[in-house]
Amino acid sequence: TAPIHFTMSGEDTAAPQVMEDLPGVLKLLSDGSVVRGDEAVLWPEDPLPDVPGVQWKDALYHAARGLSVRVYRPSSSVTAAGGPKLPVLVYFHGGGYCIGSFAQPHFHTYCLRAAAELPAVVLSVQYRLAPEHRLPAAIEDGAAFLSWLRGQAELGVGADPWLAETADFGRTFISGASAGANLAHHVTVQAASSQQDVHPVRVAGYVLISAFFGGDERTATEADPPADVSLTVEGSDMFWRMSLPVGASRDHPVANPFGPESPSLASVDLPPVLVVAPESDVLRDRVMGYAARLREMGKAVEVTEFAGEQHGFSVLRPFGEAANELMLVLRRFVYTGTTSNSTSH
């Protein structure tokens, strides 16, 4: 997959100027308008094999915003009526808060695998994208989704039949990849800090895969990037410019959880976290720094590093060796809550 670069135009013309450009995919013009193309150019062209044994459907969770959640469950769970229910894995897709979709084939395939192999009820959440809907819109959507999930848990037998039959809301895990991992962090913090009452849903843990964090001061891996990255520093900066409130810096609390204006997490009763850190990622130092800061606060943190892997490896190569190993790591975390060590693969 080609690295994500950006271009910026400074020429004076009568027509609106192109301020940001992800070639063929997304243009932000000087009048605030947005031109979208085909995101398929960003993804590997190889067809994805099917994942048997999983049922899925879409359900509306926010009618006014037209937002849906894709619900996945193993087919075997249907035949085991009255049997033990499955943990719930909430999943937010990646794309720098500007691109991506819960229906995109690579994110869809990842969720199929997670539902089948953990096994779990996987809930892949659609959220509003920037620059049409700048942050914190996506975080508001994440909170709205948790409110919907709480309503489903309270309804019991009156809930969506798939959830009523299969979901153990007391074992809910919030996860995401890249920007989705950033979103998972903020949604988890809101639920853990009593900003949002989600009972009887219990957030038992959260999972950040290739998390998309930022900051004004460059880290070592940003200043001297690894070779062969899938996301460049310039591309990362562009996504923040297009997604954060206009004029905000990368130290904005959404981008930088430990920035100068970010609320302290020391007193927040965070659940255990699994931090997945690919080695060949310009954001690696930010991801490792996130884990280190939480550990200093006494939080339960497990870090799993993947040598030689790129940002977004879990969806760029959803059947690769690293993705296979990630499924095993995720299964262990969800079913045993292991948070006592750091591992490398």
Side-chain angles (χ1 to χ4, degrees), residues 69-88:
V69 55
R70 184 158 289 185
V71 183
Y72 302 79
R73 67 173 181 175
S75 304
S76 58
S77 67
V78 182
T79 58
K85 294 186 176 183
L86 296 175
V88 175

Side-chain angles (χ1 to χ4, degrees), residues 129-145:
L129 298 177
E132 295 93 335
H133 304 280
R134 287 182 178 262
L135 291 160
I139 297 169
E140 293 167 356
D141 294 341
F145 173 75

Side-chain angles (χ1 to χ4, degrees), residues 217-242:
E217 187 175 339
R218 296 297 191 199
T219 66
T221 50
E222 289 169 343
D224 184 18
D228 189 32
V229 294
S230 59
L231 174 70
T232 63
V233 175
E234 294 82 7
S236 175
D237 288 354
M238 177 196 68
F239 283 133
W240 286 125
R241 286 195 302 272
M242 287 201 291

Side-chain angles (χ1 to χ4, degrees), residues 53-59 69-78 80 83-92 108 110-125 145-146 148-149 152-153 159-175 201-202 205 207 327 330-331 334-335:
V54 179
Q55 297 180 333
W56 63 273
K57 67 176 182 179
D58 294 342
V69 55
R70 184 158 289 185
V71 183
Y72 302 79
R73 67 173 181 175
S75 304
S76 58
S77 67
V78 182
K85 294 186 176 183
L86 296 175
V88 175
L89 182 71
V90 176
Y91 181 77
F92 296 107
H108 178 64
Y110 173 87
C111 292
L112 287 169
R113 285 200 67 181
E117 296 177 37
L118 296 185
V121 174
V122 178
L123 303 176
S124 184
V125 184
F145 173 75
L146 270 197
W148 177 86
L149 194 63
Q152 293 293 309
D160 179 280
W162 286 21
L163 297 180
E165 294 163 8
T166 316
D168 179 357
F169 295 104
R171 290 186 292 160
T172 296
F173 294 79
I174 299 177
S175 72
V201 172
R202 173 179 165 267
V207 182
M327 285 295 161
L330 193 56
R331 176 176 182 156
V334 167
Y335 277 92

Side-chain angles (χ1 to χ4, degrees), residues 29-319:
L29 304 183
S30 56
D31 63 358
S33 60
V34 177
V35 180
R36 289 190 177 269
D38 184 1
E39 294 184 14
V41 300
L42 298 175
W43 295 93
E45 294 181 5
D46 301 335
L48 295 169
D50 190 27
V51 178
V54 179
Q55 297 180 333
W56 63 273
K57 67 176 182 179
D58 294 342
L60 199 65
Y61 79 84
H62 198 298
R65 296 176 191 158
L67 297 173
S68 295
V69 55
R70 184 158 289 185
V71 183
Y72 302 79
R73 67 173 181 175
S75 304
S76 58
S77 67
V78 182
T79 58
K85 294 186 176 183
L86 296 175
V88 175
L89 182 71
V90 176
Y91 181 77
F92 296 107
H93 69 78
Y97 280 121
C98 296
I99 58 176
S101 162
F102 71 140
Q104 202 283 332
H106 285 73
F107 294 118
H108 178 64
T109 297
Y110 173 87
C111 292
L112 287 169
R113 285 200 67 181
E117 296 177 37
L118 296 185
V121 174
V122 178
L123 303 176
S124 184
V125 184
Q126 181 185 22
Y127 56 88
R128 288 172 294 169
L129 298 177
E132 295 93 335
H133 304 280
R134 287 182 178 262
L135 291 160
I139 297 169
E140 293 167 356
D141 294 341
F145 173 75
L146 270 197
S147 294
W148 177 86
L149 194 63
R150 173 193 179 188
Q152 293 293 309
E154 289 174 335
L155 282 170
V157 293
D160 179 280
W162 286 21
L163 297 180
E165 294 163 8
T166 316
D168 179 357
F169 295 104
R171 290 186 292 160
T172 296
F173 294 79
I174 299 177
S175 72
S178 191
N182 179 293
L183 181 48
H185 158 80
H186 288 290
V187 169
T188 301
V189 168
Q190 286 188 2
S193 59
S194 301
Q195 295 177 46
Q196 183 178 15
D197 180 11
V198 297
H199 181 79
V201 172
R202 173 179 165 267
V203 180
Y206 67 115
V207 182
L208 308 187
I209 304 169
S210 305
F212 181 55
F213 292 125
D216 282 351
E217 187 175 339
R218 296 297 191 199
T219 66
T221 50
E222 289 169 343
D224 184 18
D228 189 32
V229 294
S230 59
L231 174 70
T232 63
V233 175
E234 294 82 7
S236 175
D237 288 354
M238 177 196 68
F239 283 133
W240 286 125
R241 286 195 302 272
M242 287 201 291
S243 63
L244 288 170
V246 174
S249 78
R250 293 189 304 274
D251 273 337
H252 186 282
V254 171
N256 187 355
F258 304 106
E261 296 178 18
S262 301
S264 172
L265 299 176
S267 63
V268 179
D269 186 18
L270 288 169
V273 60
L274 169 62
V275 176
V276 177
E279 179 186 34
S280 297
D281 186 356
V282 297
L283 301 181
R284 180 181 180 277
D285 286 350
R286 295 207 178 276
V287 171
M288 298 299 286
Y290 175 91
R293 292 290 291 271
L294 289 189
R295 276 203 178 119
E296 290 168 6
M297 297 175 185
K299 315 299 185 190
V301 180
E302 177 177 355
V303 177
T304 302
E305 299 181 65
F306 282 87
E309 292 299 322
Q310 298 175 320
H311 184 88
F313 75 92
S314 61
V315 287
L316 289 172
R317 290 171 295 282
F319 291 94

